[in-house]
Amino acid sequence: MKTLGNATNSMEETIETVLRDAPLFKGGEGMVYGPVSGGISNENWRVKETQGTGDWFVKVPGNGTEMFIDRVTALDASQKAAAAGLGPRVYDDLGDRGIEINDFLPDRRPSTNSDFADLDLCKAAIGAYRTMHGLPSLGLTKTVFDMIDEHLQQVKELHAPMYKDAAWILLNADLAREAIHASGLDLVTSFNDPMPGNFMIDDAGTVMLIDYEYASMNDRCYDLGIWFGEMFFSHERELELIEEYFGEVRDDIVSRVTVHKALADVKWCLWSMVQLKMSRLDFDFHKYGMWKKMRARSIMEHPDWATHLRRL
């Protein structure tokens, strides 16, 4: 870890500015900092107090993320989650710059996909989702269709690359839009970003959630669908978790989750096209986006796709 004044690149210069400016860090003297790996949108840091017990996680907004992240809502969601014991304590120092500061969680570690092979941990995560969906409402309503529309406009404005089969995928996304809107949206306070590293677990198997920057009022089945896709759950495991969450398994619920799973991949594929133009992080956004696109196609091309749309 480095001390103040030893920055060797632009990202380190940025975090040193945060250390100097945030009242919590008292000008940065006596603090050390180092990068935290895992994120693909922002610049993440751990800051520690050398003469004391202070230990914090600092998120510096990635280049261009203001195009699709409402930082006021992100802070609101983080604070509400912390108050419910779902997330770590959050500080509002430099919140007006979109910088997020939380207590670091040294007794927890980020989960991996393999951790969620354990059914008990999956059920603990379902409990976390129930808590999330029961939080007080947020000021921002942003469904997956709002996200898709937003990214399509950004792709156009940035002259970002677009995948060759976009017209076919977006046609099917519009069919899903019509079906879901006809059945009605079930809006709740939603997490919207279930990367494995956002589930912090301890030795007892309890789960806390971090990173609320994509939070919004959204359909609860989007939260479940995007999580199921991110974890590569089998169909059988998805049915177990639907029953755990809803208390029953119904065809319309299964279809609603499945359709949202496909839509989530469309959203993140488009997001990747935007990131190709905007991000300064060392990450293969093209490969990530093409993987998301192909998985969306695998659901939309399946013979059951039309059945899922009718069931909604």
Side-chain angles (χ1 to χ4, degrees):
M1 299 185 83
K2 292 189 174 183
T3 55
L4 195 68
N6 289 290
T8 57
N9 57 56
S10 60
M11 288 188 284
E12 290 178 352
E13 290 170 356
T14 300
I15 186 61
E16 289 200 2
T17 298
V18 172
L19 292 178
R20 293 187 182 96
D21 293 352
L24 181 67
F25 300 138
K26 304 173 183 176
E29 295 301 324
M31 302 290 174
V32 293
Y33 66 90
V36 176
S37 63
I40 59 174
S41 296
N42 305 290
E43 297 160 18
N44 299 324
W45 303 90
R46 185 176 185 177
V47 174
K48 295 185 69 175
E49 190 177 24
T50 57
Q51 301 297 321
T53 59
D55 195 358
W56 302 275
F57 174 85
V58 180
K59 180 194 298 177
V60 177
N63 189 42
T65 55
E66 70 280 356
M67 296 176 64
F68 41 82
I69 293 173
D70 184 320
R71 297 289 174 184
V72 173
T73 300
L75 179 61
D76 183 30
S78 296
Q79 291 171 331
K80 286 173 176 172
L86 182 62
R89 180 179 176 182
V90 58
Y91 301 85
D92 59 8
D93 295 51
L94 308 187
D96 59 328
R97 302 186 196 177
I99 292 168
E100 184 178 312
I101 304 172
N102 301 110
D103 281 341
F104 198 81
L105 300 173
D107 59 337
R108 293 179 178 270
R109 65 172 177 85
S111 74
T112 63
N113 287 83
S114 60
D115 286 317
F116 283 99
D118 181 77
L119 180 58
D120 288 337
L121 184 62
C122 290
K123 289 182 177 180
I126 285 290
Y129 272 116
R130 278 204 209 91
T131 299
M132 182 75 195
H133 295 165
L135 293 179
S137 296
L138 301 173
L140 174 69
T141 295
K142 195 172 189 180
T143 71
V144 65
F145 304 113
D146 297 321
M147 299 174 197
I148 288 172
D149 291 344
E150 180 179 65
H151 291 325
L152 282 171
Q153 183 63 31
Q154 291 159 353
V155 166
K156 180 179 179 181
E157 291 173 353
L158 292 169
H159 302 288
M162 180 61 88
Y163 44 92
K164 293 181 180 179
D165 45 357
W168 184 89
I169 289 179
L170 293 174
L171 170 62
N172 280 275
D174 282 340
L175 292 174
R177 184 194 306 253
E178 292 176 5
I180 289 175
H181 283 171
S183 65
L185 291 163
D186 180 16
L187 297 177
V188 296
T189 300
S190 297
F191 189 44
N192 297 331
D193 189 20
M195 288 187 64
N198 290 340
F199 295 80
M200 301 295 290
I201 59 178
D202 61 11
D203 292 339
T206 68
V207 173
M208 293 181 75
L209 300 181
I210 60 170
D211 194 355
Y212 294 87
E213 64 186 9
Y214 289 98
S216 69
M217 302 302 293
N218 196 0
D219 194 295
R220 75 176 74 236
C221 285
Y222 176 80
D223 243 0
L224 297 181
I226 188 176
W227 181 50
F228 287 1
E230 194 69 34
M231 298 302 164
F232 299 92
F233 289 140
S234 67
H235 180 63
E236 292 73 23
R237 176 54 55 85
E238 290 181 2
L239 295 181
E240 288 178 306
L241 296 177
I242 286 172
E243 183 173 18
E244 180 72 17
Y245 184 94
F246 291 98
E248 62 179 339
V249 176
R250 298 198 319 262
D251 287 346
D252 62 313
I253 296 174
V254 173
S255 291
R256 197 173 185 91
V257 170
T258 301
V259 170
H260 273 104
K261 183 164 63 169
L263 291 169
D265 281 338
V266 174
K267 175 261 188 291
W268 285 100
C269 176
L270 292 169
W271 174 90
S272 297
M273 301 301 100
V274 175
Q275 291 287 60
L276 279 170
K277 283 286 190 177
M278 298 300 299
S279 180
R280 64 180 183 178
L281 298 179
D282 182 16
F283 185 79
D284 192 342
F285 289 104
H286 183 268
K287 182 178 180 180
Y288 181 80
M290 291 305 98
W291 160 59
K292 293 288 189 181
K293 182 208 73 169
M294 288 188 289
R295 192 168 62 177
R297 279 202 73 119
S298 73
I299 298 173
M300 292 172 169
E301 289 177 336
H302 194 279
D304 289 343
W305 177 246
T307 300
H308 288 312
L309 295 181
R310 285 195 300 270
R311 282 176 178 166
L312 299 180

